[in-house]
Amino acid sequence: LLVDDPEGDFVLEYELPEEEFFVRADKRRMEQALDNLILNAKKNVVPGGVLKLSLILQGDSLRFSVYDQGPQIPRENMDKIWTKFYRDRDCAYSGSGLGLAIVAQILSMQDMPYGVENRPGGVEFYFSVPVFR
């Protein structure tokens, strides 16, 4: 799916499970965390690049991930990006430096593991939510 967005053009891909799962989470806060991760990805994806949303069952958890094809995060900055008001000086866009700090706080408050990894050609942010059975 090619998306022409005011913030740039990119190819949107997604991977969803075949079956339905239920989780216990603060819906409003989780929407805020996902919105922040997707906005971050949209700002960093290269023109015509891939932005991929994935939801994969791993054991008793659902792993949400947002991948953007774009510049990788220097290893020395990986922990800093979750800090309030942190902004990469080499970044092509400006922001408040609060988006990822809010994500970290929301996920920490709900005891949900989260992180970021450089992947071939881009960056993947992820978090896991226990499945309700």
Side-chain angles (χ1 to χ4, degrees):
L1 176 61
L2 179 61
V3 178
D4 186 16
D5 187 273
E7 296 170 25
D9 67 297
F10 54 89
V11 176
L12 178 63
E13 296 180 0
Y14 57 90
E15 181 177 2
L16 301 172
E18 301 253 339
E19 56 188 294
E20 194 174 82
F21 294 96
F22 295 93
V23 298
R24 282 194 178 150
D26 181 326
K27 181 181 181 217
R28 189 173 63 84
R29 294 289 186 198
M30 295 308 294
E31 287 173 351
Q32 184 180 17
L34 280 170
D35 284 348
N36 285 355
L37 290 174
I38 292 168
L39 180 61
N40 185 69
K42 285 170 58 176
K43 289 179 177 179
N44 285 292
V45 67
V46 295
V50 173
L51 190 156
K52 183 175 182 180
L53 308 174
S54 299
L55 179 57
I56 300 168
L57 181 65
Q58 290 184 332
D60 289 335
S61 295
L62 285 174
R63 184 178 192 274
F64 287 80
S65 67
V66 179
Y67 167 84
D68 67 85
Q69 187 176 18
Q72 294 192 332
I73 300 171
R75 186 69 58 221
E76 63 273 11
N77 295 350
M78 288 287 209
D79 290 332
K80 296 175 189 174
I81 63 171
W82 306 106
T83 306
K84 288 180 187 174
F85 306 115
Y86 176 77
R87 291 183 293 197
D88 183 352
R89 291 185 181 132
D90 298 328
C91 192
Y93 69 90
S94 63
S96 67
L98 290 174
L100 294 176
I102 291 169
V103 170
Q105 185 176 22
I106 289 169
L107 298 175
S108 292
M109 287 173 30
Q110 298 183 77
D111 294 321
M112 295 177 185
Y114 64 92
V116 60
E117 293 183 14
N118 286 323
R119 298 283 185 208
V123 176
E124 179 184 51
F125 286 86
Y126 61 87
F127 64 92
S128 294
V129 180
V131 173
F132 176 66
R133 296 186 191 247

